[in-house]
Amino acid sequence: MFDKLDATLRFQQEALNLRSERHQVLAANVANADTPEFRARDFDFSRELAKAVKEGRGSSSMSLTTTSSRHLEGASTTFAVRELLYRVPDQPSLDGNTVDMDRERAQFVDNTVRYQASLTFLDSRLQGLKTAMQPE
């Protein structure tokens, strides 16, 4: 029973983690909309979710070597997604930038709605389990 519960919750956890990472990728695209030669990136969500559920998530943390105890710990900004892909532009710009703001906005909104739906599903699942465990 706990294996099924763990699998269900792990699936939702991985989905939320990947949605969060996709938000970061899309935000990076929007932030670089005016950067010459910037290539818009994205990833195949369903493929990455299947990999994450099957194999687990790879560690994306990178640590900095410190030579003094007074150094601050560094944080990594790399993505755990294994395969970031380049988007093929509908109409390339003269400066080589491939960010299409309309597409980025649509993808961002879609990702936000799906993230919220995953949270709602997870919440209802946990509420159902909580109700089932309470005595009558």
Side-chain angles (χ1 to χ4, degrees):
M1 177 178 153
F2 287 110
D3 292 340
K4 291 180 182 178
L5 176 63
D6 182 51
T8 300
L9 295 179
R10 185 178 326 119
F11 178 83
Q12 290 301 321
Q13 177 186 6
E14 296 299 340
L16 287 172
N17 287 337
L18 284 172
R19 290 276 172 218
S20 176
E21 284 192 35
R22 186 156 188 243
H23 247 58
Q24 292 175 8
V25 171
L26 295 172
N29 289 346
V30 170
N32 289 293
D34 294 328
T35 305
E37 298 297 323
F38 182 81
R39 307 283 188 245
R41 308 287 302 261
D42 204 352
F43 60 89
D44 184 354
F45 183 83
S46 59
R47 185 183 322 148
E48 290 295 329
L49 182 59
K51 283 182 190 176
V53 170
K54 183 179 176 186
E55 303 167 8
R57 292 177 57 81
S59 170
S60 69
S61 62
M62 295 174 61
S63 61
L64 298 176
T65 304
T66 57
T67 57
S68 170
S69 61
R70 295 175 56 196
H71 287 167
L72 298 175
E73 294 294 323
S76 171
T77 59
T78 60
F79 300 110
V81 174
R82 296 174 185 97
E83 206 173 324
L84 274 178
L85 307 171
Y86 290 103
R87 284 220 181 117
V88 177
D90 295 329
Q91 183 175 356
S93 64
L94 293 175
D95 66 355
N97 188 306
T98 62
V99 176
D100 179 4
M101 285 302 291
D102 292 331
R103 178 180 285 180
E104 298 302 324
R105 283 187 203 107
Q107 294 293 328
F108 202 85
V109 168
D110 178 65
N111 195 54
T112 302
V113 168
R114 290 174 189 265
Y115 185 88
Q116 190 63 40
S118 292
L119 282 176
T120 302
F121 178 79
L122 188 58
D123 183 53
S124 67
R125 186 76 166 193
L126 292 173
Q127 288 300 325
L129 290 171
K130 191 169 134 182
T131 303
M133 287 190 247
Q134 291 181 353
E136 292 182 42

